[in-house]
Amino acid sequence: MTEPHPLLKVKDVTKSYFEDGKEFKILDLIRFELAEQDFVCVVGPSGSGKSTLLRILVGLEKPTSGEVLFEGQPIRADNPQVAMVFQSFALFPWLTVTQNVELGLEAQNVPLPARQARARKFIDAVGLTGFENAFPRELSGGMKQRVGIARALAIEPLLLCMDEPFSSLDPLTAQNLRDEILQLWSDPQLPPKAVLMVTHSIEEAVYLADRVIVLSSRPGRMVAELVIDLPRPRNRKEPEFYGWVDEIYSLIV
Amino acid sequence: MRGRRRALRFVAGILVFAGIVAAIASPQAALKALQLPLFALFSTSRMVAAYLIGLVFAIAYGHTAATNRRAALIMLPILDVLQSIPILAFFPAALLFFVVTFQGSAIGIEFAVVFLIFTSMAWNMAFGVYESLTTIPQDLEAAGSSFGLTGWLRFRLLEFPAAIPKLVYNSILSWTNGWFFLVASEVFQVGSSKFARPGLGAFIADAGRNGDVASIAVGLGVLAAVVLALDFFVWRPLSVWSERFRMDTASGRELAKVPRYEPFRWMPRFPAVRRTIIARAHPATQAYHRASVRLDRAYASHPNVVRDVRVVDLGLFVIVLLLVVTTGLIGLGQLFLRPLPPEAVGLPWAALLSFSRLLLSYGIALGWTIPVAVVLGESERVSRYLTPALEIFASLPATALLPVILGFSLAVVGSTGGAAQLAAILIGLFSMQWYLLFNLVAGVRSIPQDLREAARSFGLRGRPYWRRLLLPAMTPSLLTGSITAWGAGWNALIVSEYIEYAQRPYTVTGLGSLINQAVLVTGDTEVLLLTILTMIVVVLAMNKLLWRPLLKRAAIRYRLEV
């Protein structure tokens, strides 16, 4: 077997804010790598700077020091190989489901017919057929996040970044969406090749990821990087599953 | 909707009645009234021209201030001052400038009128754009960036839609302000020369000057009809449509169901007209889409164009700013280097008198609007019957009511001086009260149902109900209403303290009449400038020392957090 193709290199990323001449360190020397086929979760308590870390990893913010490389190049926010899913969904309230899904394609100047075909494909993939012309405010929370996921997948990214994508959904909907994300990730026909997700739910991380990066709080430091080798599909009731959850829990507290 | 239709029918009734009365009372006036539709068209065109310029200005200014932090440092304070100074005081100067520039031709006066209306419309819209752009939720902004929205595409898909709700809301306010200024500006006298452009405002003002009651009534009727018709056919549909652009997904709070917008849905009575308009508009919307796509492409191939345009834009702005500031400073220097004219001694006294009259108007306005707002806000039934009637009265700008108010004052008070005093206070009242009323009603309506029910279940009634729920909940809207009302009040001074009615002037001592004296009678620019300066100082002091601190405290204590 060949070595998986590396995608993302995070090199000693540190982030500080300065207020009244004082330095407040948010993130301290974060370093890890992510390759194709990876599903990595970053967990940490609130105040560990995990959302800031994700914003830096996708290029929305600059690190104070260190660097983030995507396929060997410094990351840029508008990189079409990286797509983002938000906790608050971040759908444009004045655009329909289709128009929202087409957003990234429109920015890439994909011609209209191709754009519409691709949007339809991913709206189908997340199970929203029939809601193409609905506006976000007419959808439930779970459906809104499906739009968010379809919008991210539509640009056919190599890497899908998700910022607590399920934490504002009810538990049942969240579980359904988790399984769907796993399915998309493992389907070689569909993007993405790799997933990077930030979450505060340890169980969620153990359920989804094959690697978990644990952050401490204030400043966010890497406490551990664990390889979860449980077979899939994973069962939350098994003692091995709880063994992992307990281990991560003890690392954070 | 039923109330609206009733209101329209009511207006139509008034119009017909006024027409009949006028035709019987004076056939000559009736003949003159035949020109009114044309006058209405002229006046509306001026409003539209000023509004479109204001809109472009507001978007450019607000966008630059929101996206360029360094530019915002100077742009925001300027906007703040422009918004709070009584613009009407500058009109004579602006008029002279345009008339001289265009060598006395009618075009110059038109420019002056449109410019004046523009200055009454643009600032709050620019603030609205700025506020909308700076309050776009962080995630939405991030989504835009990470999906590659830049330049024109970003403006079209993210920034402009995000600004629409506040832009529409402020447009309605601006439009109301515009009518006030339009009526005041269509006829203007500087020294012995009189400038007039045909329009509704000029018609009413002339009628007042001649004491022609029938023409006044007809003119007011037409004005009310135009204002209400535009409100009904343009602003209300627009404000329903703008709901679609509200950011409520971020807060997670479910708002009331917003009706899906369908083009020209609000023309149910004229299906044929509606179909035609949609059919006609289709090529235009198609063209817009094509142009958009082309612009997107053009932008993609020249990514620096937008930045270059912005740089040129900013450069021009800085140059104009420098010019204005230097001429202003030179003017001020000249003003204060010379010995002050003897009239300067009277300025504080005049300011005090003007302020006292406005305070009285404000007090009366508060006295009636607070209880009425509570009744309107609490009772759906009363509101349905009363609101249309109130909207008709509110549609008439105070400047148009000058002759009516003075006639009324003369009838009530015997003495000329007393009538002038009463008229000045009443005009102040009429320019202030509607801002208070409509803001307060919105405040009462915004009280969450939970709070009302909690109050009821704990048996709060009468005084405690007012003290613990109604008044605190109304405080923020009372403040915003008061600030707008005082702004209108200061502007009203210019027209309320010096009124020509039936061929003779009625004046009271005050800043407004000093300005009018200087412009109309003495032509003394020094006194004019000093008076304007005094007024600006008083207004800015009131904003900084009274309203700002109050607003800040209210924002902390009385906000109904959701």
Side-chain angles (χ1 to χ4, degrees), chain B residues 377-378 444-456 469:
Chain B
E378 301 251 281
V444 176
R445 294 236 169 98
S446 71
I447 301 176
Q449 203 55 34
D450 301 5
L451 283 189
R452 281 177 211 274
E453 277 163 13
R456 204 179 318 144
L469 182 64

Side-chain angles (χ1 to χ4, degrees), chain A residues 55 60 77-78 84 86 88 90-95 103-104 106-107 109 133 135 137-138 144 151-152 155, chain B residues 138-140 142-143 145-149 153 156-158 161-162 243-249 260 297 300:
Chain A
R55 287 174 63 83
L60 286 167
D78 56 357
M84 177 106 170
F86 298 84
S88 65
L91 301 179
F92 289 33
W94 42 82
L95 300 182
L103 199 67
E106 204 172 345
N109 275 315
N133 295 317
F135 284 98
R137 75 179 86 242
E138 297 163 347
K144 282 180 193 161
R151 175 174 70 178
I155 62 174
Chain B
Q138 197 193 24
D139 276 358
L140 209 59
S145 304
S146 76
F147 287 104
L149 296 190
L153 198 62
R156 183 162 69 84
L157 291 182
L158 178 62
E243 288 294 314
R244 223 180 84 180
F245 298 88
R246 228 168 253 292
M247 306 274 182
D248 55 345
T249 38
R260 187 80 86 74
R297 282 220 196 98

